[in-house]
Amino acid sequence: MEQLVIASNNAGKIREIRELVEGVELLSLRDIGFTEEIAEPFFTFEENALAKASAIHQFSGRNVFADDSGLCVIALNGKPGVDSAHYCGERDDEKNLQKVLSELSGAEDRSAFYKAVICLIWNNEVYYFEGICRGRIISEKRGEGGFGYDPVFVPDGFEQTFAELPLGIKNQISHRGKAVMKMVEFLKQQLRC
Ligand code: IMP
């Protein structure tokens, strides 16, 4: 079976992606012996995803994909955006979420979207896949599932937060689910050839 490395250490993301990818053996960074932090110094999801995928490709020479994702809040001019993971100054989901809630207090427009960009390096060529999920930020946390900002994000067309919805539903409508499904379609075509 073909192997593909996921260039992430985020357990929540890896769990979601494993649910979606079949027919290819997914290897984690631990599986390939990569233990360093990969810097994400750029201002776009695309550049950060490329930086992560390239670092692992250089390290291992293997086919690899990286996802860079985040929450963009309209009333905050798109923040936290590429800074979603460290918005409060450290990698702390609870503090990041509380910072967004406090910045949004009193705001009328609570609309937001999650965006994910996957950069795939497949047989030494670079490919990008994007997914967006629109919704709104509620003022109090609800639900135990998901990760990051999920307890306050209600996707359009639903009443529950991403932390309340089952993972199967989240994966069908989420930014990452959409981007991963595009990559899966691409991989199916490649593997047929
Ligand atoms: P990355 O590892 O740089 O892509 O950071 C992604 C960050 O964006 C996460 O640490 C979360 O804060 C946020 N994020 C991205 N996708 C999701 C999601 O599906 N649910 C909740 N938070 C997310």
Side-chain angles (χ1 to χ4, degrees):
M1 199 188 280
E2 289 277 354
Q3 295 182 322
L4 182 59
V5 179
I6 311 183
S8 173
N9 282 316
N10 181 322
K13 275 189 190 178
I14 293 177
R15 194 170 51 242
E16 291 184 4
I17 292 170
R18 279 194 195 278
E19 283 276 308
L20 292 164
V21 180
E22 288 171 1
V24 174
E25 187 187 352
L26 286 182
L27 303 177
S28 67
L29 289 181
R30 188 184 305 156
D31 292 333
I32 63 163
F34 188 92
T35 51
E36 293 156 40
E37 267 281 309
I38 310 172
E40 299 176 20
F42 298 109
F43 295 108
T44 66
F45 295 110
E46 286 78 3
E47 288 169 298
N48 283 329
L50 175 63
K52 287 188 271 191
S54 301
I56 300 306
H57 187 251
Q58 276 172 19
F59 172 81
S60 67
R62 291 169 182 269
N63 289 330
V64 53
F65 73 93
D67 119 304
D68 198 50
S69 54
L71 177 73
C72 303
V73 180
I74 305 306
L76 304 180
N77 298 317
K79 286 185 185 169
V82 289
D83 294 327
S84 291
H86 303 97
Y87 194 41
C88 66
E90 55 184 305
R91 193 178 264 278
D92 184 320
D93 281 356
E94 177 62 25
K95 288 186 191 162
N96 289 335
L97 180 157
Q98 293 302 338
K99 182 171 177 190
V100 166
L101 287 187
S102 91
E103 289 180 342
L104 265 185
S105 79
E108 265 180 36
D109 181 1
R110 303 188 68 97
S111 57
F113 60 92
Y114 276 125
K115 179 172 173 178
V117 173
I118 288 178
C119 174
L120 169 71
I121 304 181
W122 183 258
N123 297 341
N124 299 312
E125 299 280 347
V126 176
Y127 303 90
Y128 292 94
F129 307 92
E130 183 189 300
I132 283 181
C133 179
R134 297 186 185 280
R136 66 193 160 88
I137 304 297
I138 57 171
S139 51
E140 281 182 13
K141 290 165 57 180
R142 289 198 326 240
E144 302 298 324
F147 65 98
Y149 302 89
D150 283 348
V152 292
F153 182 83
V154 174
D156 284 352
F158 291 82
E159 292 304 323
Q160 299 103 311
T161 67
F162 260 172
E164 293 176 310
L165 287 168
L167 180 55
I169 305 275
K170 179 180 175 188
N171 266 342
Q172 280 172 28
I173 60 171
S174 81
H175 50 312
R176 188 169 310 97
K178 289 174 184 165
V180 171
M181 289 317 293
K182 289 180 188 171
M183 179 180 74
V184 166
E185 281 309 310
F186 170 85
L187 290 173
K188 277 187 191 158
Q189 285 175 9
Q190 293 289 311
L191 294 171
R192 248 182 252 136
C193 300

